Amino acid sequence: MRLPRRVRLVLLGAVAPLIASLAVLAASPMLQGPSIDSLYWLRERVHGPRPAPDPSPVVVVGIDEETYRRPPFAGTPQALWGPRLGTVLGAMLDGGAAAIGLDLVHPTSVETLIPGFEREYLLTLRRGGKEGRLVLAKVQHQSDPLMPYRGYMIAAGVNNIRSVNLVEDADGVLRRVPLTLTVTGPDGQPKAEPGMAVEVASRALKAPLERGADGSAMLGGYRVPGGEGNRLLVNHATAAGAIPTYSLADLHACAEAGNTDFFARHFKGKAVMVGTVLDVEDRKLSSNRWVTKPEGVNLPERCALPVMGELYVAGRTRDSIPGVYIHAAAISNLIARDALEETGRPAAAALVLLLAGLAAVVTLAIRPPVAAFGLLLLLAGWSGVAVEAFQGGLVLPWLQAALAALLVFPLALGFRFAVLDRDQRHIRNAFKLYLPGSLIDDMIASGQSPSLGGEERDLSILFCDIAGFTKMSEGMEPEALVTVLNRYFTVMTDIIEAHGGFVDKYIGDAVLAVFGAPYAIDNHARAAVSAALAMRQAMADDPTLLATSGGRGSNRIGIATGPALIGNIGSPRRFNYTVMGDTVNLASRLEGANKYYNTFLMVSGETMRHHGDPEAFRALDIVQVVGRSEPVEVFEPLSDARRTDPEERAQRAAYAAALENWRAGRFEDAAAGFRALIAGDGAAVAMLNKAERRIGLPAEPNWAGVTALTDK
């Protein structure tokens, strides 16, 4: 029973948002990171750069380019910096620093070569460790961690070493800091250990990280967002110089001058992170990558040395920051209690569905041009809500909901005009523009007409291109060239249609044909292969096809079989019944691969298997084409004459034996086999070239003889 149009419109208004929301939510893990980064950018456009808490609870001591240039560090290997670093650490401890984290891992020491050289440094580490105000760094690898030099560990205490690992999202951006990491305890059992940022913040607050029964994390009475997932989403301050940064060189000169008052003013009660802030080393992409500021701006008060000139390029911004600032920002969030909290999955899904539903109402209730303007207003309002929530520390699924709303618009319009109003006459009028009348009659009579929105089918795709087109068309008048091409296309199209296929489109001098749609045929792979052989035979039978004064062109054909999306694609006023998908791309790549193997016909292994007669083909190779991660076995279809020729049969057997040696990694035997065939076999020439290049080389592990084709 055909439902009334109003009922179908209501159903569409419910289904379209649901489809759009499900599609977006499926990709939500990949969209969440860019959505957060976009909210940083939007927040800055609306509210300006976000300042750090005043005063900042955390500061950075930077081993910067100035440190490398100034004495006594200049010209001295970094392995000899220990005593000087110890001087600064001691001054900060004397000045009342609440906690100091060293974002540095020194696995070796000159103390083993020059006993006593680092005595004062080791005593400073011992002091900081005993007072619980110093944390050394380690890097947790997949197996054993990279630890500091054993003497440093003993001096500081093994309980004062924490991991500086950060959490990298799938897109390579560091947005989160792990609260704890799993390490092996003294009893050999795994245990949770706080990361560097949590440990420094914990010591500055004099409060341990605690876990609730529900998995939540508490630090000094602050319920840490993301504690259940063990990851803190960092809320970066984006104002220039938001985290005060002191040069190690200036602090060393300050300590040497005995200016204890400077250290008391700037470090008392602070959490301190010491790390490299160089121009290229240890720089990371973070969630504030689109709102970073010039470096060397708003520097804090200096103690002993002026800022060295020519260190910073005025106005220069980059999308990466030194890793120590990510730790520092996380420490600031934990102390100031202003970390970002992400919306839970159920709430995020509800928001995405709500915005998609509103977009469907706007799209279906008013005319399309007005609906488009209404959709823009809806997105602007949603962006405002998301930015204000972000300003308050709550991360809404801004990008996901916006994409769902945008996806609803074409979905609802497409179904409204192409599905709700379709009938058989509409189908006939649409298809007659690009399908022969007999195919339309058969399609309608069989009841197998494809849905106007598109459907996935198992098809065989034939892609045919002209070899030597440039040469044959050189010097020809456009009208003459069009005449030659039209005659060639007519012959090829007639052959394709005679074998049950249809021409999807002409792409320049190429033909894209489909077998198995719009209605099913018994064996679309066999029909496609038969058509390809007939197309090649037509070229042989009529030497005037593609013949011009500049030379004669030929055609190369690739065939692939597999699932493909086919249907009416376009707008309600102008659309095409067309095919798309990986199978289409593969057919195009196989057509191009003919150049590499000096062949004119090439099909995929799936086409050969669907064809059902392995004797009608010969195996050529296994290739990995551009844009496809999985290799494809390729075959050359054989005409009846080639199949029955005894000499041809013997050559195929010899080629198969050589190919087997190639795939087994017996390159010298393979080369010998292919060399014997090069007189009459272009594919053997291509394989010989590959085999000869590998003679004397062992086959790699898991060698399968796959050829990576770099050309499309």
Side-chain angles (χ1 to χ4, degrees):
M1 182 181 68
R2 189 178 181 87
L3 295 174
R5 176 181 171 82
R6 185 180 297 275
V7 175
R8 287 185 289 155
L9 198 62
V10 171
L11 290 176
L12 173 60
V15 171
L18 183 61
I19 293 174
S21 299
L22 290 175
V24 169
L25 290 173
S28 184
M30 294 183 294
L31 297 172
Q32 181 67 353
S35 179
I36 294 170
D37 303 349
S38 301
L39 285 170
Y40 270 97
W41 186 87
L42 288 171
R43 181 177 69 182
E44 185 132 333
R45 302 284 80 75
V46 175
H47 293 284
R50 177 179 180 268
D54 187 19
S56 174
V58 61
V59 298
V60 167
V61 174
I63 301 175
D64 53 6
E65 187 176 346
E66 179 178 351
T67 303
Y68 279 90
R69 290 188 181 187
R70 286 193 186 274
F73 300 95
T76 304
Q78 194 170 2
L80 301 177
W81 288 10
R84 293 151 191 167
L85 179 60
T87 298
V88 176
L89 292 177
M92 290 191 294
L93 291 172
D94 291 339
I100 303 174
L102 267 64
D103 188 12
L104 308 164
V105 182
H106 292 149
T108 59
S109 169
V110 298
E111 186 70 18
T112 58
L113 302 174
I114 313 175
F117 179 78
E118 293 189 330
R119 181 176 182 277
E120 295 301 323
Y121 180 43
L122 292 171
L123 289 174
T124 302
L125 295 181
R126 181 185 179 189
R127 173 194 169 189
K130 288 184 66 176
E131 295 175 357
R133 292 194 286 157
L134 183 66
V135 184
L136 299 185
K138 64 180 177 180
V139 178
Q140 190 72 35
H141 292 292
Q142 292 182 355
S143 54
D144 297 329
L146 178 64
M147 304 293 291
Y149 165 61
R150 183 173 177 80
Y152 301 156
M153 294 170 57
I154 294 172
V158 293
N159 291 325
N160 295 315
I161 304 170
R162 294 294 181 262
S163 173
V164 291
N165 290 66
L166 296 170
V167 179
E168 185 176 282
D169 287 354
D171 57 0
V173 179
L174 296 167
R175 300 182 177 91
R176 298 168 177 84
V177 170
L179 299 180
T180 61
L181 293 99
T182 301
V183 300
T184 302
D187 57 357
Q189 298 299 315
K191 70 169 186 175
E193 179 182 85
M196 173 63 80
V198 174
E199 188 66 32
V200 173
S202 172
R203 297 193 182 197
L205 293 168
K206 295 181 175 57
L209 182 71
E210 298 175 338
R211 288 286 185 182
D214 59 352
S216 61
M218 301 287 293
L219 185 63
Y222 174 48
R223 187 181 185 278
V224 182
E228 298 85 347
N230 200 38
R231 295 180 176 185
L232 172 75
L233 179 59
V234 178
N235 188 6
H236 289 274
T238 58
I243 297 179
T245 303
Y246 300 85
S247 172
L248 179 64
D250 181 53
L251 294 183
H252 180 266
C254 188
E256 288 285 283
N259 191 345
T260 57
D261 181 62
F262 181 87
F263 285 94
R265 290 200 320 272
H266 292 271
F267 293 92
K268 186 174 182 178
K270 302 281 188 180
V272 183
M273 283 299 299
V274 181
T276 57
V277 292
L278 296 174
D279 201 40
V280 293
E281 184 179 335
D282 191 36
R283 298 189 72 92
K284 312 291 185 184
L285 287 174
S286 64
S287 49
N288 65 335
R289 55 188 169 140
W290 293 331
V291 290
T292 52
K293 301 298 183 297
E295 298 172 1
V297 178
N298 296 335
L299 294 174
E301 176 190 0
R302 302 280 288 200
C303 175
L305 303 172
V307 177
M308 183 176 283
E310 300 180 357
L311 286 182
Y312 305 102
V313 178
R316 181 188 180 189
T317 61
R318 289 183 291 174
D319 59 359
S320 62
I321 60 174
V324 68
Y325 286 117
I326 300 178
H327 289 289
I331 294 168
S332 178
N333 292 164
L334 291 168
I335 296 175
R337 303 186 176 190
D338 59 1
L340 291 172
E341 182 169 8
E342 296 178 85
T343 311
R345 288 185 179 180
L351 287 169
V352 171
L353 188 58
L354 173 62
L355 202 70
L358 292 174
V361 171
V362 171
T363 303
L364 296 175
I366 50 182
R367 293 181 294 109
V370 182
F373 180 73
L375 182 62
L376 291 177
L377 291 179
L378 177 65
L379 292 176
W382 165 243
S383 298
V385 170
V387 167
E388 293 308 312
F390 192 72
Q391 177 75 353
L394 180 62
V395 180
L396 299 181
W398 174 77
L399 183 59
Q400 296 92 317
L403 286 177
L406 290 172
L407 186 58
V408 163
F409 188 75
L411 267 178
L413 284 183
F415 277 102
R416 176 179 173 180
F417 290 104
V419 176
L420 297 180
D421 300 326
R422 75 175 183 181
D423 54 27
Q424 192 178 87
R425 179 166 164 270
H426 176 77
I427 295 176
R428 182 182 295 278
N429 290 336
F431 277 93
K432 73 179 182 180
L433 300 175
Y434 42 84
L435 288 180
S438 58
L439 286 183
I440 299 175
D441 293 336
D442 291 342
M443 177 184 66
I444 294 176
S446 66
Q448 296 181 4
S449 65
S451 61
L452 289 176
E455 61 180 349
E456 188 176 84
R457 284 196 186 186
D458 197 56
L459 304 171
S460 289
I461 308 299
L462 182 151
F463 194 91
C464 176
D465 202 359
I466 297 176
F469 177 77
T470 302
K471 183 178 179 180
M472 62 166 274
S473 60
E474 193 172 18
M476 290 188 68
E477 292 294 330
E479 295 81 3
L481 179 60
V482 168
T483 300
V484 171
L485 287 177
N486 284 345
R487 180 167 176 263
Y488 163 78
F489 283 146
T490 299
V491 173
M492 297 299 112
T493 302
D494 289 345
I495 293 173
I496 290 168
E497 292 181 357
H499 286 81
F502 81 94
V503 172
D504 182 335
K505 60 175 69 74
Y506 303 104
I507 310 170
D509 60 318
V511 179
L512 175 62
V514 179
F515 294 80
Y519 63 94
I521 55 179
D522 291 338
N523 190 324
H524 49 74
R526 179 167 295 197
V529 171
S530 297
L533 291 169
M535 292 162 73
R536 286 294 304 161
Q537 188 61 45
M539 292 294 298
D541 292 343
D542 187 353
T544 65
L545 272 179
L546 293 181
T548 68
S549 58
R552 188 187 183 203
S554 185
N555 57 1
R556 291 188 301 258
I557 301 172
I559 301 174
T561 299
L565 178 67
I566 189 162
N568 276 337
I569 308 298
S571 74
R573 292 192 304 275
R574 185 176 180 85
F575 55 87
N576 286 318
Y577 182 74
T578 189
V579 65
M580 59 181 60
D582 182 62
T583 303
V584 182
N585 297 334
L586 179 58
S588 173
R589 300 293 186 267
L590 295 184
E591 179 277 319
N594 279 298
K595 293 181 289 186
Y596 185 88
Y597 293 92
N598 305 302
T599 55
F600 294 96
L601 296 177
M602 185 179 295
V603 305
S604 68
E606 200 66 20
T607 301
M608 185 274 291
R609 286 183 283 275
H610 274 71
H611 183 281
D613 184 3
E615 296 300 318
F617 305 84
R618 71 154 174 169
L620 287 174
D621 197 4
I622 301 175
V623 300
Q624 186 163 7
V625 300
V626 175
R628 221 171 191 260
S629 58
E630 294 296 325
V632 180
E633 194 171 5
V634 292
F635 296 79
E636 180 184 22
L638 303 172
S639 65
D640 291 339
R642 291 182 64 185
R643 291 183 63 179
T644 57
D645 186 342
E647 182 177 349
E648 176 78 20
R649 189 180 297 114
Q651 289 180 341
R652 289 202 304 275
Y655 185 96
L659 184 61
E660 179 61 28
N661 284 328
W662 164 258
R663 292 176 179 175
R666 298 185 291 270
F667 304 125
E668 191 167 348
D669 294 340
F674 291 127
R675 191 176 294 112
L677 299 172
I678 60 175
D681 191 343
V685 174
M687 296 301 294
L688 174 61
N689 291 334
K690 294 195 299 179
E692 286 183 335
R693 286 196 296 270
R694 288 188 168 270
I695 291 177
L697 299 176
E700 295 90 350
N702 302 320
W703 168 262
V706 177
T707 300
L709 301 181
T710 57
D711 294 330
K712 295 183 178 182

